[in-house]
Amino acid sequence: MITDKIKHQIRSIVGPENALDSDLDRFGYSYDSSYVPLRPENRPDLVVRPLNVREVSSVMALASEHEIPVTPRGAASGRTGGSIPLRGGISLCLDRMTRIVELDEGNMMVTAEAGVRTIDLYNQCAAKGLFFPPDPASWKFSTIGGNVAENAGGMRAVKYGVTSNYVMGLEVVLADGTILKTGGKALKNVTGYDLKSLFTGSEGTLGIITQALLRLIPMPKKRGTLQVMFASLEDGCATVHRMLQAAIVPAAAEIMDRFSLEAVAKYRGTPLDPTAQACLVMEIDGDNDEALASQARQIQAVAEGCGALAFRVAQSQKESDELWAARRGLSSAVASLAPTRLGEDISVPRDAFPEVVRRIRAISEKYGLPIAVYGHAGDGNIHPSILCDLSNPAEEKRVHGAVDEIFAAALAVGGTLSGEHGIGITKQPYITQALGDAGIQTLIAVKKALDPKGILNPGKIW
C-alpha cells in the first residue's frame, strides 16, 4: 500500500511532476509490446520517473522499507510482459535517464544511462568511426537499460554477438537502494564473481540497471546487401550452414518462409516469384569494395550449390534499404493479416533449424493456424508468428496448444525458450522444463540473496 505520506516522500525525491497517480497515467504503464491481456490489476499504484541514480537509490530505499513492489521500465518494447506491474506498487520508468556519459575513443568504450535509445547510442558512436553492433528490431526506440536487462540480440548477432558480448561494466541499484558498480574498462577481469553477467539478462528481478559501460569495435568501412531466393526453406538453411562451415560469416543472415514472403508482397504491393519458397537477406561488411565482392562471390557459389533460384547484390544504398525494409517491416506485414499476431522467440542449434521448421509446419496444420516462420538463420534464433483471433475462446485454446508444442519442439532438439526476448510472464509455464528443478532452485537462491523481500519485478520469470 502506497500511502499519501509515501507519495509525498517520493515526490520530494523526483519532483511532483515525475510521480504520477492519475487513472490515465497508471493505465498507460499497465502494458507493454507483448500480448498479455489488459487487466485493471496490472496498473501500478504510482508511476515514478527518476532523473539519476541518486533518485533511483532513494526511491528503492523507500520501497524496501515499506516492501513496495517495483517494476522497472524503459521503452516497454519487450515481448514477454517484463515491464507489466503484476502487483501494483511502483512502475519505475527510466526514460528520463538519457545521458551518454562518456565516449572513450581511446579504449573504444561508451558509458550510457539506462534510458538512452539504442539508435542514438549507435549514431553517436558511428560519428566517431566506432560500432555498437547489437540491433534489436526495436532499436529505434528500445533503451540500453532494457537491452541489458533482456540481453537483446538482433540481426547482426551471427557475426557480432548479442548485448552481453559488449557489456564491460554496470551501475546497478539493489533492492535496498545500495548502488553497486561492477566491471570496468580492463579487458581482462576475474576479480570475484562476474556480477555484470549476472545482471545482464536478469529482467529487472535482481536490481535496477541505471548505467552501462559498453565495448565498441571499429566501424566496418564498407557494407553490402545480398538477397537469395530458394525453392525450399531447407535450401536456405543449408546455404547458411555451409557458409559458416567454410568460414564465410555474414554480418547478418535473415531467413523468411513462403508465408512471410507472401505477407510482405501483399503489404508492399510487390510481385513475388511463384516458385520461391524462402528468401535469405544478408549483410556483408569489410574494409573495401573488393572484400565485399569476394564475399559475395563466395556466398553465391555456396548458394548456387544449394539450389538457389536467384541471387541479387544491391547496387546502391537505396536498393540495400529496400531489401532490408522487407525484413524489418515483416512483423507489420504479417500482423496485417489477422486480428492478432502472436510472435514467439525460440533458439535452437543451427543445424536443427530445418527440423524445427518442419515441426512448426506440422503444428500449424494440426491446429489449423497460419504460422509465419522467419528469423536469424545464422544463429538459430527463430520467430514463429501465429496468426489468430484471441477474442475467439475456441481459437485461443488452439493457440495455447500450438505455443506449448512450439516450445516443446525447441527443447526436443536441444534448444531453449528464448534467444532474445526473455521469459517475463508469457514463458513462465515452460521454464522448469527448460532448466530443471536444480536450475530453478539455484536461480531462486540468487534472487532471494539479492532481493530478500521480493520487491523487484515480482511475478516474472518464475
Side-chain angles (χ1 to χ4, degrees):
M1 175 72 178
I2 302 182
T3 64
D4 289 340
K5 180 181 178 181
I6 295 172
K7 289 181 182 180
H8 177 75
Q9 290 176 293
I10 291 175
R11 289 189 171 109
S12 70
I13 295 168
V14 300
E17 70 279 13
N18 296 308
L20 314 172
D21 61 357
S22 72
D23 288 344
L24 182 60
D25 285 320
R26 292 166 55 236
F27 171 77
Y29 289 79
S30 68
Y31 57 90
D32 65 3
S33 297
S34 68
Y35 284 99
V36 175
L38 289 169
R39 295 189 180 97
E41 60 267 29
N42 289 348
R43 297 178 188 179
D45 298 307
L46 187 66
V47 176
V48 180
R49 301 175 65 232
L51 182 62
N52 53 53
V53 66
R54 295 183 302 279
E55 292 183 2
V56 175
S57 173
S58 298
V59 170
M60 287 307 306
L62 198 59
S64 177
E65 177 185 353
H66 297 283
E67 299 190 18
I68 299 169
V70 177
T71 303
R73 187 181 180 94
S77 58
R79 306 290 297 181
T80 58
S83 61
I84 297 175
L86 297 180
R87 299 179 188 172
I90 294 170
S91 176
L92 190 69
C93 186
L94 307 183
D95 62 349
R96 296 176 65 222
M97 298 180 65
T98 58
R99 289 188 309 140
I100 296 180
V101 178
E102 180 191 34
L103 179 51
D104 182 347
E105 295 180 60
N107 284 306
M108 292 196 295
M109 294 185 193
V110 62
T111 303
E113 290 185 327
V116 173
R117 292 189 307 165
T118 313
I119 192 170
D120 293 336
L121 181 85
Y122 174 90
N123 287 337
Q124 188 154 332
C125 295
K128 299 295 184 179
L130 296 171
F131 184 29
F132 181 65
D135 61 335
S138 57
W139 77 312
K140 289 186 178 180
F141 47 91
S142 68
T143 59
I144 293 301
N147 289 355
V148 175
E150 297 288 342
N151 194 14
M155 290 186 275
R156 296 193 183 105
V158 57
K159 182 172 184 178
Y160 293 108
V162 297
T163 300
S164 60
N165 298 113
Y166 297 89
V167 176
M168 295 296 296
L170 294 174
E171 177 184 81
V172 182
V173 177
L174 302 181
D176 64 357
T178 299
I179 299 173
L180 169 69
K181 293 188 177 183
T182 182
K185 293 183 180 181
L187 294 178
K188 298 176 74 174
N189 184 347
V190 289
T191 306
Y193 297 135
D194 186 3
L195 295 179
K196 64 179 173 55
S197 294
L198 178 64
F199 288 102
T200 302
S202 63
E203 302 187 39
T205 62
L206 302 180
I208 309 294
I209 296 166
T210 52
Q211 192 168 283
L213 171 66
L214 303 166
R215 179 176 67 90
L216 306 172
I217 60 176
M219 179 66 74
K221 293 181 174 61
K222 295 286 184 177
R223 287 193 177 123
T225 302
L226 313 175
Q227 182 194 67
V228 195
M229 308 301 288
F230 296 93
S232 73
L233 197 67
E234 288 78 7
D235 290 345
C237 291
T239 296
V240 175
H241 189 62
R242 292 184 189 178
M243 281 167 41
L244 296 173
Q245 285 186 320
I248 306 166
V249 184
E254 297 294 299
I255 198 160
M256 296 175 276
D257 71 354
R258 176 72 189 188
F259 190 96
S260 302
L261 294 175
E262 290 176 347
V264 170
K266 181 178 180 181
Y267 192 69
R268 295 167 61 88
T270 55
L272 177 62
D273 181 348
T275 65
Q277 296 297 313
C279 172
L280 269 177
V281 179
M282 288 175 277
E283 180 180 281
I284 54 177
D285 56 24
D287 290 334
N288 50 55
D289 290 334
E290 177 51 39
L292 296 190
S294 175
Q295 287 183 65
R297 287 193 296 270
Q298 293 177 70
I299 291 172
Q300 183 172 7
V302 173
E304 290 177 349
C306 293
L309 297 174
F311 186 89
R312 177 182 175 189
V313 180
Q315 298 300 314
S316 65
Q317 186 59 50
K318 181 181 178 182
E319 279 190 47
S320 177
D321 291 343
E322 288 174 355
L323 293 178
W324 278 113
R327 171 60 184 91
R328 291 193 181 276
L330 181 54
S331 291
S332 297
V334 172
S336 69
L337 301 179
T340 304
R341 180 190 70 88
L342 194 64
E344 286 300 345
D345 161 49
I346 57 175
S347 184
V348 301
R350 284 191 295 235
D351 62 357
F353 201 108
E355 172 60 23
V356 169
V357 170
R358 283 191 288 271
R359 295 188 184 206
I360 291 172
R361 284 174 175 163
I363 293 167
S364 173
E365 292 177 9
K366 176 180 177 180
Y367 289 95
L369 294 167
I371 302 179
V373 178
Y374 56 92
H376 317 311
D379 58 19
N381 192 184
I382 309 174
H383 295 300
S385 286
I386 303 173
L387 298 181
C388 56
D389 182 0
L390 292 180
S391 66
N392 181 332
E395 189 157 308
E396 183 180 13
K397 185 177 180 180
R398 298 204 313 276
V399 169
H400 288 308
V403 170
D404 288 348
E405 293 198 22
I406 288 172
F407 288 140
L411 296 175
V413 299
T416 189
L417 302 177
S418 177
E420 54 193 9
H421 292 175
I423 301 302
I425 301 169
T426 60
K427 299 185 181 183
Q428 287 178 351
Y430 315 97
I431 191 168
T432 300
Q433 186 181 356
L435 299 180
D437 290 332
I440 292 295
Q441 291 307 313
T442 302
L443 292 183
I444 289 174
V446 173
K447 167 72 171 173
K448 287 182 177 178
L450 289 173
D451 182 18
K453 295 181 179 179
I455 65 171
L456 281 170
N457 212 2
K460 307 301 167 55
I461 301 181
W462 42 73

